Amino acid sequence: MSRRIKVGGAQLGPIQRDESKDSAVARMVTLLDRAHAEGCGFVVFPELALTTFFPRYYVEDAAEFSAFYEAEMPDATTRPLFDKAAQYGIGFYLGYAEVAREGDRTHRFNTSILVDGTGAIVGKYRKIHLPGHAEYDPERTFQHLEKYYFEPGDLGFPVWRAMGGIFGMCLCNDRRWPETYRVMGLQGVEFVALGYNTPSTNSQRPEEGPQERLFHSDLSVQAGAYQNATFVAAIAKAGNEDGNHLIGGSVIVHPSGRILARAETEGDELITADCDLDDTVFYKKTIFDFARHRRPEHYGRIVEQTGVILPK
Ligand code: ING
């Protein structure tokens, strides 16, 4: 029995700093309507899908940006998205900024959730690889302060049985790190959902522009999919946010590494692909049969070291 699921990638165009969350939710509901009309069973939205990419701005007191974070999910603002998805029986991935009070401490994470077709949150992920820097850096052409506004995730890279398969999540910069996919691959992941907000130039190397950024995004996602025999949907928030450009290039990738669907615009756009989760089985039973081929006795450095230790 094939385990086919039609997957929608709901790329968002820019969200301006003064745009309301209600407006962002309404745009996502419109994409969900389109996904329903096209027969999708699962939809992937971007990273930080409710707000502009606020880590590009520096404020002395991070509490000034508290409105960008969600203390409860769903709340009155996001409930329409959950209700519409449940009405359609569509599961989804949603990225947002999370504030969590644990005891007397407040934690802030760059978070995503996995919601099943009944509207139930089946899983949560908190971004582990935070790129950029933790303090204002005058040397950069623009700021990328995720290390200032978020803590590294504390939930690891779990996977969940949902939508008839084994689903995992990550966020943006995580897609550049092979460890992200491998930890999920070692749990049998068949579908990795991820959202991203990727500036189209390098703040430390201005000549690195959108073409290079799109190339590296595809390279990372296709490699992660192929090397772990999993589908990957990598979905952007794109376009010009208050003069700051983010790449588009949302893709849905097959476990062979081939791109099944790619966004053509930098706006709100639904891409779709028919994903038969059983397509992962051949690769998991042959070239990437981890139990037969991996030699972890030689991989010690990967977990023992953080940075490079050069030879004498
Ligand atoms: N954004 C970017 C990303 O990893 C980045 C930051 C771009 C880091 C290119 C390194 C190279 O796609 C987020 N939000 O992680």
Side-chain angles (χ1 to χ4, degrees):
M1 188 252 310
S2 88
R3 291 179 295 140
R4 301 180 80 88
I5 182 166
K6 189 165 187 180
V7 172
Q11 176 180 286
L12 285 176
I15 299 181
Q16 307 310 328
R17 184 168 175 172
D18 63 1
E19 184 171 342
S20 71
K21 291 179 188 176
D22 289 328
S23 164
V25 168
R27 287 166 55 186
M28 285 189 269
V29 166
T30 298
L31 287 165
L32 212 47
D33 289 337
R34 217 170 289 165
H36 174 62
E38 299 209 17
C40 294
F42 185 66
V43 171
V44 182
F45 292 109
E47 172 190 37
L48 296 177
L50 297 170
T51 67
T52 197
F53 185 72
F54 63 87
R56 68 167 67 93
Y57 302 113
Y58 177 73
V59 285
E60 280 292 325
D61 177 0
E64 254 187 71
F65 277 1
S66 56
F68 285 125
Y69 296 82
E70 307 304 314
E72 56 175 309
M73 182 55 71
D75 66 359
T77 299
T78 47
R79 171 57 64 192
L81 186 66
F82 282 69
D83 289 348
K84 180 66 83 165
Q87 175 195 328
Y88 290 150
I90 294 177
F92 64 91
Y93 162 108
L94 177 70
Y96 63 95
E98 176 192 10
V99 57
R101 285 172 184 74
E102 278 151 18
D104 58 356
R105 291 203 54 201
T106 297
H107 301 275
R108 291 182 175 82
F109 299 103
N110 188 342
T111 294
S112 67
I113 48 172
L114 187 65
V115 181
D116 71 14
T118 72
I121 297 175
V122 297
K124 174 181 280 190
Y125 169 73
R126 289 166 170 168
K127 187 173 183 178
I128 286 170
H129 298 101
L130 296 172
H133 44 106
E135 292 170 8
Y136 184 82
D137 179 351
E139 299 298 309
R140 290 169 180 254
T141 53
F142 58 86
Q143 303 301 301
H144 196 113
L145 291 156
E146 290 194 57
K147 295 181 194 287
Y148 177 61
Y149 289 111
F150 303 118
E151 289 173 47
D154 57 355
L155 302 174
F157 295 107
V159 300
W160 297 269
R161 290 189 182 281
M163 274 70 70
I166 299 174
F167 279 62
M169 297 187 273
C170 68
L171 277 155
C172 205
N173 195 255
D174 289 321
R175 74 189 187 285
R176 301 176 191 279
W177 300 92
E179 296 88 342
T180 300
Y181 304 95
R182 186 45 53 91
V183 170
M184 290 189 271
L186 286 165
Q187 301 171 77
V189 76
E190 297 171 321
F191 197 103
V192 174
L194 73 96
Y196 62 89
N197 289 212
T198 300
S200 58
T201 58
N202 184 323
S203 62
Q204 298 170 291
R205 179 193 272 180
E207 64 269 24
E208 183 182 311
Q211 286 318 312
E212 190 82 344
R213 306 288 256 195
L214 285 162
F215 167 68
H216 287 151
S217 187
D218 288 350
L219 180 69
S220 304
V221 171
Q222 286 178 271
Y226 170 63
Q227 291 169 352
N228 295 279
T230 178
F231 286 89
V232 181
I235 308 303
K237 168 142 64 67
N240 184 330
E241 292 191 335
D242 299 291
N244 304 276
H245 189 265
L246 301 170
I247 62 168
S250 300
V251 287
I252 299 173
V253 180
H254 185 269
S256 63
R258 298 284 180 190
I259 293 176
L260 297 174
R262 182 199 292 281
E264 291 165 2
T265 73
E266 292 184 344
D268 292 8
E269 177 180 350
L270 181 77
I271 59 174
T272 62
D274 273 312
C275 300
D276 183 348
L277 299 179
D278 284 339
D279 284 1
T280 63
V281 172
F282 174 76
Y283 300 95
K284 290 183 189 291
K285 288 193 178 303
T286 55
I287 183 170
F288 293 113
D289 178 344
F290 289 168
R292 233 161 21 101
H293 299 305
R294 291 185 72 246
R295 308 299 325 162
E297 65 271 23
H298 298 293
Y299 304 161
R301 288 182 184 273
I302 291 178
V303 290
E304 287 150 16
Q305 287 180 220
T306 300
V308 169
I309 299 175
L310 293 171
K312 298 237 178 321

